[in-house]
Amino acid sequence: MTLSPSSPSSTPVTLQQLIESSSSNRHGAGIEQVLQKLSTQKTLTESDYKQVNSVANIPFQQFRLDSRQLEPNDVFVLLKSHIPNCQKSRDNLYQAAENAAFILSEIDPTALLSATSVSNHADITLPNDSTSKAQQQLAALPCPVLYVPNIRDFLGMLIQARLQYQQPVTLPTVVAVTGTNGKTTISQLVAQLTQLTGMSSAVMGTAGNGRLGALVQASHTTGDALAVQQFLYQMGTENAQLLALEASSHGLDQQRLQGMPVSVAIYTNLSRDHLDYHADMVEYAAAKARLFDKAHFPALTHAIINIDDEHSQIMLDTANASDLTVWTYSLEPSKSATFVAAEIKPSLQGVEITLRTDFGNTDAGNTDFKNKGTNSITIVSPLLGRFNVANLLAAMAAAIALGISLERIAAVVPQLQGAVGRMQRVPSNDGCFIVDYAHTPDALSQVLASLKTHCKGQLWAVFGCGGDRDAGKRPLMAQAGLAGADQVILTADNPRTEDPEVILQDMQVGMTSEQYQRTHIEPARQTAIEYAVSQAAADDIVVIAGKGHETYQEINHVRYDFDDSVILQNALRQAGRV
């Protein structure tokens, strides 16, 4: 999905005008540094300085990151792709030059035009004659091209300044959530808690973007820098006071959230995922830790961190180095944390939590528990699952950081609703049927462990693995399912361009004969769901995992309509169980 863009005035503006207007607009603070950054590139000649000054005073309409969306007199920003493709980048450069007012390029344009085939965009050593020819080609383009290798350091800020230029709006306070699992649920719980206690709230993430109750499906957890800033501005025009968003590791690593006024940052957990992008878990954790660094997010005040997670220390160290107010949360009664679930009583209606708080010397906001020492309060939550207790603690902590008292928060918790496709119970006359997004071994383990505490009969798990993704986690997913469930049904997820049978074979690596006896293999996902419904007894719990909120199944680049909850409802109806 493309985020709905705002509609600022079509009157052209220059970079210099944005800088001059920033002094009266707090959201443009720091824009005056942009031209300094543009003009401090290494090895600038006198001609280069003239080009910088010339670009600074060229009128333009909007910033664009996609050359296909470029309109006359827009500024095109040419960014590196994760997998370098010089030919594609050159094509984008030539296409954009026909219409752009000017181009800001993260890629060295001389190297790009000189090289016919290179593995990387930067640090290319070229012969003098090749460089000279490329410079001639560059000079012949219909618009100026300025090489700005550090443009991601201020691109979001620059886009927001353009949006604010002729129609300034007050932007929402931002709460950002990062981690492998729990981002969607926590962001939606934060938005619900703040809305129920009087703030106008919105969300942005995997399950959709927009005001609560009117989400529009998103194609990425974290959109590109332009989409993110347009959405933030749009929520400002709609008078949203709070924006709760998911910060993916890709988005943080690629600085797509640069310029977002993040006030409160939350860390959930880290488990194996996205290792087709990150080199290893250390690099994955470091990408997440960027969210707690004030050098990247100057508006930060609070860090809320799950200390039950083994990777939490890097988040704590980064937050403390930035001198943030650091609050921790835990499900272990023996641990010393700001928020501890001292007792958890589960039922199929939810959980009752004895919450122990200890703010110590930290700022406790407007909560009534300002005194030092520990305090306890009973929270009744309608959310199923132990891990949803952790999600709730994080969301409550964020609401307190925003100045809402714990007592007000506790009063509205019973009204909360889980995120679509996250531990979502589908109604039935007997049995318990759950749809959940769990698509990593750790997430699946947590879902099954949580549901086991509710289960009187057998626990069934229906799941698969996505194609064209980290194949190493496939047997780990199967083992997680077999460790947590009594009966397992392996099926397709989003096979993409892979053969589902091959994916299922990968998942079965290492399975024992005993595990095979508890496993049913059915490549067709709809048939697998129907089989689970036909086999589950009245006291059993069935969880359909992996796709959650998704309303499609992707096969060979085509997305077919497929919603686990709808398929499950139909299967229950056909079986006479509703």
Side-chain angles (χ1 to χ4, degrees):
M1 161 200 162
T2 300
L3 297 178
S4 300
S6 56
S7 299
S9 171
S10 58
T11 304
V13 66
T14 67
L15 290 177
Q16 188 64 52
Q17 287 174 318
L18 292 184
I19 293 166
E20 292 169 354
S21 68
S22 67
S23 60
S24 61
N25 179 359
R26 68 182 181 89
H27 301 299
I31 296 298
E32 65 275 5
Q33 301 173 13
V34 171
L35 281 193
Q36 294 176 9
K37 292 182 178 181
L38 289 174
S39 60
T40 56
Q41 308 305 322
K42 56 185 178 181
T43 66
L44 279 183
T45 65
E46 182 178 350
S47 174
D48 292 326
Y49 279 111
K50 290 181 179 178
Q51 187 182 33
V52 168
N53 291 329
S54 175
V55 165
N57 291 286
I58 294 177
F60 67 93
Q61 299 288 352
Q62 304 296 334
F63 290 101
R64 302 289 181 187
L65 308 185
D66 187 336
S67 61
R68 296 167 299 182
Q69 299 176 356
L70 197 71
E71 296 183 4
N73 296 319
D74 283 343
V75 171
F76 178 58
V77 183
L78 178 61
L79 298 176
K80 299 177 185 178
S81 60
H82 175 57
I83 301 175
N85 184 331
C86 281
Q87 185 59 54
K88 183 178 180 181
S89 295
R90 275 195 297 271
D91 290 345
N92 289 340
L93 180 68
Y94 283 126
Q95 180 181 354
E98 295 297 323
N99 287 315
F102 57 90
I103 296 173
L104 301 177
S105 179
E106 183 184 26
I107 308 166
D108 183 345
T110 303
L112 184 61
L113 294 174
S114 299
T116 56
S117 177
V118 292
S119 58
N120 294 296
H121 286 315
D123 301 324
I124 305 168
T125 302
L126 300 166
N128 290 334
D129 57 343
S130 176
T131 302
S132 176
K133 182 178 179 181
Q135 289 172 341
Q136 292 174 8
Q137 290 178 289
L138 194 61
L141 290 176
C143 73
V145 180
L146 188 64
Y147 176 37
V148 193
N150 61 337
I151 192 166
R152 291 179 195 251
D153 292 346
F154 52 90
L155 178 58
M157 180 172 60
L158 202 57
I159 293 169
Q160 190 56 230
R162 174 62 185 108
L163 293 169
Q164 292 278 344
Y165 180 66
Q166 280 150 325
Q167 188 181 343
V169 300
T170 300
L171 299 179
T173 296
V174 176
V175 173
V177 189
T178 198
T180 304
N181 303 309
K183 297 188 297 294
T184 299
T185 296
I186 292 174
S187 60
Q188 295 207 14
L189 293 180
V190 169
Q192 289 182 53
L193 286 173
T194 51
Q195 183 119 325
L196 288 167
T197 52
M199 293 180 72
S200 176
S201 302
V203 294
M204 180 180 185
T206 309
N209 306 316
R211 308 299 291 276
L212 286 177
L215 300 187
V216 178
Q217 185 62 53
S219 60
H220 294 85
T221 299
T222 306
D224 64 36
L226 178 62
V228 165
Q229 293 295 338
Q230 286 177 330
F231 182 75
L232 176 69
Y233 181 83
Q234 180 179 327
M235 292 301 97
T237 64
E238 295 180 17
N239 298 315
Q241 298 168 283
L242 184 283
L243 172 60
L245 63 82
E246 300 177 47
S248 69
S249 60
H250 293 67
L252 289 165
D253 183 60
Q254 296 171 15
Q255 294 179 262
R256 299 184 210 159
L257 292 175
Q258 195 283 323
M260 291 292 280
V262 179
S263 175
V264 180
I266 300 173
Y267 171 71
T268 63
N269 50 66
L270 209 67
S271 62
R272 179 168 181 150
D273 201 13
H274 302 308
L275 294 190
D276 52 332
Y277 178 89
H278 301 288
D280 50 36
M281 292 297 291
V282 173
E283 183 181 291
Y284 185 25
K288 297 290 190 184
R290 292 175 67 99
L291 183 60
F292 303 90
D293 188 343
K294 249 191 158 174
H296 298 299
F297 300 98
L300 273 173
T301 61
H302 288 73
I304 297 165
I305 296 171
N306 174 20
I307 59 168
D308 292 342
D309 183 75
E310 62 178 315
H311 297 278
S312 62
Q313 193 59 52
I314 186 175
M315 315 302 161
L316 291 166
D317 291 344
T318 306
N320 285 320
S322 289
D323 199 26
L324 305 181
T325 295
V326 179
W327 291 346
T328 56
Y329 65 98
S330 173
L331 299 187
E332 302 298 330
S334 61
K335 286 189 177 179
S336 176
T338 318
F339 300 86
V340 178
E343 187 176 4
I344 302 171
K345 297 178 181 178
S347 73
L348 283 180
Q349 284 67 51
V351 291
E352 180 180 298
I353 309 160
T354 300
L355 174 63
R356 186 176 74 234
T357 62
D358 185 0
F359 291 102
N361 294 319
T362 66
D363 175 18
N366 293 330
T367 181
D368 291 343
F369 288 169
K370 288 182 180 178
N371 54 308
K372 298 178 182 179
T374 60
N375 298 272
S376 293
I377 187 171
T378 299
I379 307 291
V380 178
S381 168
L383 306 177
L384 294 174
R386 180 179 173 86
F387 62 88
N388 267 332
V389 175
N391 291 338
L392 179 60
L393 296 189
M396 292 174 64
I400 293 172
L402 294 172
I404 305 169
S405 75
L406 178 56
E407 288 66 29
R408 287 185 67 198
I409 294 166
V412 301
V413 167
Q415 301 177 50
L416 294 176
Q417 297 178 2
V420 174
R422 267 65 173 180
M423 204 65 100
Q424 177 185 351
R425 186 170 182 179
V426 176
S428 59
N429 293 332
D430 58 59
C432 179
F433 297 87
I434 304 289
V435 171
D436 192 85
Y437 188 54
H439 61 284
T440 66
D442 180 65
L444 185 60
S445 295
Q446 290 193 44
V447 166
L448 295 175
S450 291
L451 290 175
K452 198 69 173 176
T453 64
H454 299 276
C455 192
K456 295 180 180 179
Q458 288 195 314
L459 178 59
W460 294 69
V462 183
F463 61 95
C465 286
D468 302 332
R469 297 294 187 269
D470 178 15
K473 80 174 184 181
R474 291 172 184 173
L476 304 180
M477 279 289 288
Q479 290 300 317
L482 287 160
D486 302 299
Q487 301 292 330
V488 164
I489 303 173
L490 299 183
T491 188
D493 190 288
N494 288 318
R496 299 184 177 89
T497 65
E498 286 196 71
D499 182 346
E501 296 280 4
V502 173
I503 297 173
L504 289 169
Q505 289 171 11
D506 288 346
M507 295 181 72
Q508 296 171 60
V509 172
M511 283 175 56
T512 66
S513 58
E514 183 276 333
Q515 289 176 328
Y516 270 113
Q517 291 176 5
R518 297 189 287 117
T519 303
H520 179 78
I521 298 172
E522 173 49 67
R525 193 172 180 90
Q526 178 172 336
T527 304
I529 293 172
E530 292 169 348
Y531 177 81
V533 169
S534 70
Q535 297 298 308
D539 288 335
D540 292 354
I541 295 179
V542 176
V543 57
I544 315 297
K547 288 173 59 59
H549 64 282
E550 293 179 354
T551 58
Y552 62 86
Q553 187 172 39
E554 186 174 339
I555 303 172
N556 291 322
H557 303 295
V558 178
R559 290 189 172 186
Y560 298 91
D561 289 341
F562 198 104
D563 186 324
D564 277 357
S565 63
V566 172
I567 299 296
L568 180 55
Q569 288 169 15
N570 292 337
L572 289 167
R573 189 177 303 110
Q574 291 172 6
R577 303 189 72 159
V578 290

